[in-house]
Amino acid sequence: QVQLVESGGGLVQTGGSLRLSCSASGQIFSINVMGWYRQAPGKQRELVARISSTGTTNYADSVKGRFIISRDNGQKTVHLQMNSLKPEDTAVYYCNLGTPWPTPTRNFWGQGTQVTVSS
């Protein structure tokens, strides 16, 4: 099994920044993808950004140019630097680890961390 522990959510004003982190432990296969999804009230969960163990990144169009995803700690920690935050970024953010890459058949999720952007 894989365990994901998230940190870094909170309340910020429009235009502010937050940094989310997620650390993975357990049986982690080397070829994988880690990323962040978010779910706002009444909406479906959506991909925000992800980064594979080979360095490939994907971003939602709505966050391109504002968010940066990165990995370190031997590929077991993923960070999401969120800049120029907008009220529409408000959601619960979930860390995800999928394996194998590029077509994950197993997905693991963190417990979620709330991000609230006030106008």
Side-chain angles (χ1 to χ4, degrees):
Q1 279 290 359
V2 173
Q3 294 79 42
L4 301 173
V5 178
E6 303 148 335
S7 61
L11 173 65
V12 65
Q13 291 185 334
T14 297
S17 297
L18 283 174
R19 179 178 168 91
L20 304 182
S21 296
C22 173
S23 294
S25 61
Q27 189 177 14
I28 303 170
F29 293 95
S30 60
I31 307 301
N32 59 59
V33 58
M34 292 187 72
W36 293 91
Y37 290 69
R38 67 187 180 188
Q39 187 166 18
K43 295 187 176 182
Q44 289 188 332
R45 189 174 297 189
E46 62 176 1
L47 172 68
V48 177
R50 63 181 183 177
I51 181 168
S52 74
S53 53
T54 58
T56 300
T57 58
N58 300 115
Y59 292 91
D61 288 342
S62 59
V63 307
K64 284 181 181 177
R66 300 189 297 125
F67 291 11
I68 300 172
I69 193 166
S70 61
R71 290 179 74 160
D72 60 18
N73 190 25
Q75 302 279 1
K76 293 184 179 180
T77 300
V78 64
H79 305 285
L80 184 67
Q81 179 65 43
M82 304 187 293
N83 301 318
S84 302
L85 283 161
K86 306 175 181 180
E88 50 264 43
D89 294 317
T90 295
V92 178
Y93 284 67
Y94 295 92
C95 180
N96 168 266
L97 185 149
T99 189
W101 174 259
T103 309
T105 55
R106 298 184 69 189
N107 282 282
F108 302 91
W109 296 93
Q111 77 281 5
T113 185
Q114 178 70 46
V115 171
T116 302
V117 184
S118 62
S119 58

